[in-house]
Amino acid sequence: MHLTTVVPVTLAALASAKPCPDEKVKGLDYYAKKAGLQYFGSATDTPGQRERAGLDAAYAQYDKIMWGGEFGSTTPTNGQKWLFTEPQQGVFNFTEGDYTANNAKKHGLSLRCHALVWHNQLGEYVNQVQWTPETLRAQIVSHIENVAGHYKGQCNHWDVVNEALEEDGTYRKSVFYNVLGEEYIKLAFKTAARVDPKAKLYYNDYSIEWPSKKTEGAARIVKMLRDEGIKIDGVGLQGHLTAEGGVTLDQHIAAIKSFTDLDLEVAVTELDIRLQEPATTTNLAQQKEKYKNIVGACVQVKGCVGITIWDFYDPFSWVPYFFPGEGAAGLWFANFTTHPAYDGIVEALTNKTAPVGKGKGKGKGPGKRSLWA
Ligand code: 9MR
């Protein structure tokens, strides 16, 4: 063989070579997997749905972080919600959700899908139609068949029912509950299990990150489904927390364990920790501590499988629009430098504290969670 033929082949092979494992980005997903979790992710959206418009100059840098190896999972912040997927009755549109789903596929991230039945961001008709139990049942089934059907095989997790509870643990009086009572929850899970049998099916809510009546309410939903043989795989703890709030590591551990003890998996699904603006050394240090606590709790309880932050980039966070005067809830400032909380998360993911609980530790099987060494 002539040298001239050997050299080009070698160069071509080098050019197309995949990075070897130690060239992998040492980002949050890398450390999470080392700690035995399945993923560390971030929610994202189509540019049109991001909270702040006119930041086009930031998109390239944003995309590089979002899809460049820092994260191993993503969730469409808005794109798979009813408002976008079935804006008019029987008219389906997957453009918004597909943006995130396709990018996840292209860049090798897993996808947490969100959310099939939720009282918020519905097509207007859902609150206007005079439903009978029969017509609402048919509507829920059709919505799930179409949306979960479209994404079949792509969703690692589905948030099947979102925020069905009030703070005191009683059911939220949504259109679904008012017409069907708790039957709507059973119907949603039953239908999702039939349509996408391989997706892990989750109940997802906020203020269940510490023991409370609401946390008990979520466990009650799980038991109700289990008593009827309906599949539910996990509970999502959203994690919309405050830097100033008093929730402790032990409280997070107790809440997560209350679900993994039911032989369920748990995910932290929408984590962000807001602070009173402006950001100062003091409140950023508090925020770091709080991020460390919830991530540390997930690492320490077997059965807590992964963490998703509700967009990593502060300008795209929902927080300032819902809580005037509060913000800086993510991990990257507007100028793309990271919060001290980023280092806090890495510390939590590299901590050697022994895991607790009898949860399934589904990342690597029971009891096999490998701790950072
Ligand atoms: O981040 C989402 C924001 O862009 C929407 O305007 C808002 C509408 O309520 O929903 C936000 O996401 C929510 C999520 O879907 C469910 N849990 C609470 C989240 C923050 O409101």
Side-chain angles (χ1 to χ4, degrees):
M1 200 183 268
H2 295 291
L3 191 61
T4 46
T5 58
V6 172
V7 172
V9 167
T10 311
L11 289 179
L14 277 178
S16 66
K18 296 229 164 80
C20 59
D22 52 11
E23 279 177 88
K24 204 175 161 344
V25 174
K26 288 201 170 141
L28 298 175
D29 188 58
Y30 171 86
Y31 290 111
K33 284 180 172 137
K34 279 269 192 191
L37 303 183
Q38 291 174 6
Y39 62 87
F40 198 107
S42 173
T44 192
D45 234 333
T46 53
Q49 292 307 323
R50 288 173 187 160
E51 294 288 353
R52 200 189 293 174
L55 282 180
D56 306 28
Y59 289 167
Q61 214 168 340
Y62 177 89
D63 283 348
K64 208 167 155 199
I65 299 169
M66 182 63 231
W67 308 115
E70 182 76 48
F71 301 110
S73 170
T74 189
T75 305
T77 324
N78 288 296
Q80 292 176 320
K81 293 171 180 173
W82 197 306
L83 176 64
F84 296 101
T85 53
E86 194 179 355
Q88 288 152 29
Q89 194 171 9
V91 178
F92 294 91
N93 184 334
F94 301 109
T95 317
E96 298 290 329
D98 282 355
Y99 171 88
T100 303
N102 292 341
N103 267 304
K105 207 182 301 166
K106 181 168 162 199
H107 298 285
L109 283 75
S110 60
L111 188 68
R112 278 203 95 256
C113 294
H114 173 83
L116 290 170
V117 180
W118 186 31
H119 67 279
N120 216 338
Q121 287 181 293
L122 290 164
E124 256 181 49
Y125 62 93
V126 183
N127 279 305
Q128 286 166 354
V129 170
Q130 296 297 309
W131 304 104
T132 64
E134 202 177 21
T135 59
L136 188 56
R137 270 185 218 116
Q139 175 59 55
I140 291 171
V141 168
S142 157
H143 183 75
I144 295 176
E145 281 180 348
N146 279 280
V147 179
H150 176 81
Y151 290 105
K152 183 176 178 183
Q154 297 183 58
C155 303
N156 182 28
H157 299 173
W158 252 120
D159 289 331
V160 178
V161 173
N162 195 38
E163 301 174 8
L165 295 167
E166 299 284 359
E167 292 305 283
D168 65 359
T170 60
Y171 284 116
R172 183 189 292 278
K173 309 296 177 289
S174 65
V175 56
F176 305 110
Y177 184 78
N178 291 342
V179 178
L180 290 170
E182 62 187 12
E183 184 203 331
Y184 89 87
I185 301 176
K186 301 179 197 173
L187 181 63
F189 274 90
K190 236 190 269 178
T191 309
R194 170 168 59 76
V195 174
D196 191 353
K198 288 198 181 140
K200 295 270 169 72
L201 304 184
Y202 271 66
Y203 174 72
N204 191 48
D205 214 329
Y206 59 89
S207 299
I208 57 170
E209 300 83 5
W210 57 89
S212 71
K213 288 276 170 227
K214 193 170 182 182
T215 310
E216 288 165 23
R220 208 183 55 234
I221 289 176
V222 172
K223 285 178 190 142
M224 167 187 82
L225 294 171
R226 291 262 172 87
D227 284 350
E228 301 211 8
I230 300 169
K231 172 178 136 107
I232 174 166
D233 301 291
V235 172
L237 279 55
Q238 293 183 3
H240 297 295
L241 305 171
T242 63
E244 298 84 6
V247 189
T248 63
L249 171 70
D250 287 347
Q251 286 174 312
H252 287 315
I253 289 177
I256 296 173
K257 235 180 130 290
S258 73
F259 297 118
T260 58
D261 283 352
L262 299 176
D263 206 20
L264 283 168
E265 56 180 55
V266 165
V268 178
T269 53
E270 304 181 16
L271 181 58
D272 52 24
I273 306 191
R274 58 189 186 271
L275 44 81
Q276 299 288 336
E277 295 273 25
T280 63
T281 319
T282 310
N283 59 20
L284 285 170
Q286 284 176 321
Q287 182 188 52
K288 175 179 178 179
E289 209 48 41
K290 295 294 152 52
Y291 264 110
K292 247 179 113 164
N293 283 347
I294 187 142
V295 172
C298 183
V299 171
Q300 286 183 51
V301 183
K302 287 179 197 165
C304 188
V305 297
I307 295 159
T308 305
I309 48 173
W310 209 236
D311 212 312
F312 65 91
Y313 187 49
D314 287 342
F316 295 159
S317 164
W318 66 294
V319 165
Y321 304 92
F322 280 71
F323 302 102
E326 296 180 71
L331 296 176
W332 270 255
F333 293 109
N335 68 1
F336 288 104
T337 58
T338 52
H339 291 217
Y342 181 99
D343 302 321
I345 292 177
V346 174
E347 284 164 30
L349 293 171
T350 54
N351 177 345
K352 293 182 188 152
T353 312
V356 296
K358 69 178 183 77
K360 284 196 164 178
K362 297 220 167 122
K364 299 194 170 171
K368 284 198 196 144
R369 164 158 292 169
S370 71
L371 286 178
W372 180 259

